Amino acid sequence: MLPVYIKHQNVVLRDYKETDIEDEIRWYSTETEWQNYDAPWENNSITEYEIRRRRKSRIANLPNRTKITSLEIDTEDGVHIGWVSLYYIDQRYMYTVVKNNAIGVAIGIDICESKYWGKGYGTAAFSYWLDYVRKHYDFDIYTQTWSGNIRMISLAKRLGFKLINTSKEIRYINGEKYDSLTFSLYD
């Protein structure tokens, strides 16, 4: 599969490259505020060794992939600020690796560089990713978050997603209970 490079206005979506590894190490060690919003109930600790091992394997496998499930986000000036991704979900709106059980794909975004928050980069990148997924996947499109992630909820609604499922108080974050939310895009 050919490399992907999508540029529009102030954002570029592109394939992972070796120089991204150092950014990712920093995002998991020092620039970590993004982790307070992306599934903060999960253990996001990963070693530098493991990041290097996984990402070098990912880079080596880029030419062999048949579907794109994530792309990196750069500013128009070439600053690497995060990524977009997708995963398959089943009829219970749970992650599944079995495509035959999937009712759709859930798309997501992480802007890991906090100084780029609130400046439109996330909206632009998520919108372009949504366009890409619409063209290349024959599945219904969803996005998922938790009730404390106000930015993601706002982004989903702004792009036309509708809340279709709420699992009450199943996310525990800093001693508080939050809902798990699933949004669907109705075309």
Side-chain angles (χ1 to χ4, degrees):
M1 179 174 273
L2 293 174
V4 175
Y5 185 90
I6 303 166
K7 183 177 189 311
H8 190 72
Q9 294 176 353
N10 62 342
V11 174
V12 172
L13 299 181
R14 60 160 176 82
D15 287 322
Y16 199 89
K17 58 187 180 183
E18 192 150 356
T19 56
D20 296 338
I21 294 172
E22 297 307 317
D23 292 333
E24 194 165 344
I25 290 168
R26 186 170 45 78
W27 294 338
Y28 278 96
S29 61
T30 57
E31 177 72 28
T32 60
E33 191 175 350
W34 66 275
Q35 293 178 28
N36 294 329
Y37 300 96
D38 182 10
W41 56 90
E42 293 180 355
N43 179 2
N44 283 323
S45 64
I46 184 170
T47 66
E48 181 178 330
Y49 170 80
E50 191 61 19
I51 290 170
R52 288 186 192 286
R53 187 188 69 73
R54 287 182 189 177
R55 297 315 181 206
K56 287 184 179 185
S57 174
R58 178 179 175 187
I59 292 166
N61 288 317
L62 281 175
N64 304 323
R65 68 187 170 189
T66 57
K67 284 284 188 181
I68 293 170
T69 58
S70 68
L71 291 170
E72 301 305 301
I73 305 168
D74 283 355
T75 66
E76 64 187 332
D77 300 328
V79 179
H80 183 215
I81 62 172
W83 61 81
V84 289
S85 60
L86 68 79
Y87 54 91
Y88 294 97
I89 59 172
D90 65 19
Q91 57 273 33
R92 297 174 301 134
Y93 307 114
M94 302 295 290
Y95 167 82
T96 181
V97 295
V98 183
K99 277 178 34 177
N100 295 342
N101 292 344
I103 62 163
V105 292
I107 63 174
I109 183 169
D110 283 300
I111 302 292
C112 301
E113 294 289 338
S114 59
K115 69 182 177 183
Y116 289 91
W117 292 356
K119 298 183 177 173
Y121 292 101
T123 300
F126 201 67
S127 178
Y128 308 142
W129 180 232
L130 175 58
D131 289 346
Y132 181 89
V133 173
R134 278 181 167 147
K135 290 176 189 166
H136 294 90
Y137 283 83
D138 190 24
F139 278 98
D140 289 338
I141 301 172
Y142 299 83
T143 194
Q144 297 181 306
T145 192
W146 56 288
S147 57
N149 192 342
I150 304 306
R151 282 189 177 116
M152 187 62 216
I153 294 167
S154 175
L155 174 59
K157 289 178 178 177
R158 195 166 45 254
L159 294 182
F161 285 85
K162 306 291 183 217
L163 181 64
I164 60 160
N165 188 62
T166 301
S167 297
K168 289 287 191 187
E169 298 184 342
I170 66 166
R171 301 294 182 212
Y172 297 92
I173 302 148
N174 299 324
E176 293 188 42
K177 294 179 185 178
Y178 293 89
D179 301 339
S180 177
L181 308 174
T182 299
F183 294 82
S184 177
L185 185 64
Y186 294 108
D187 287 333

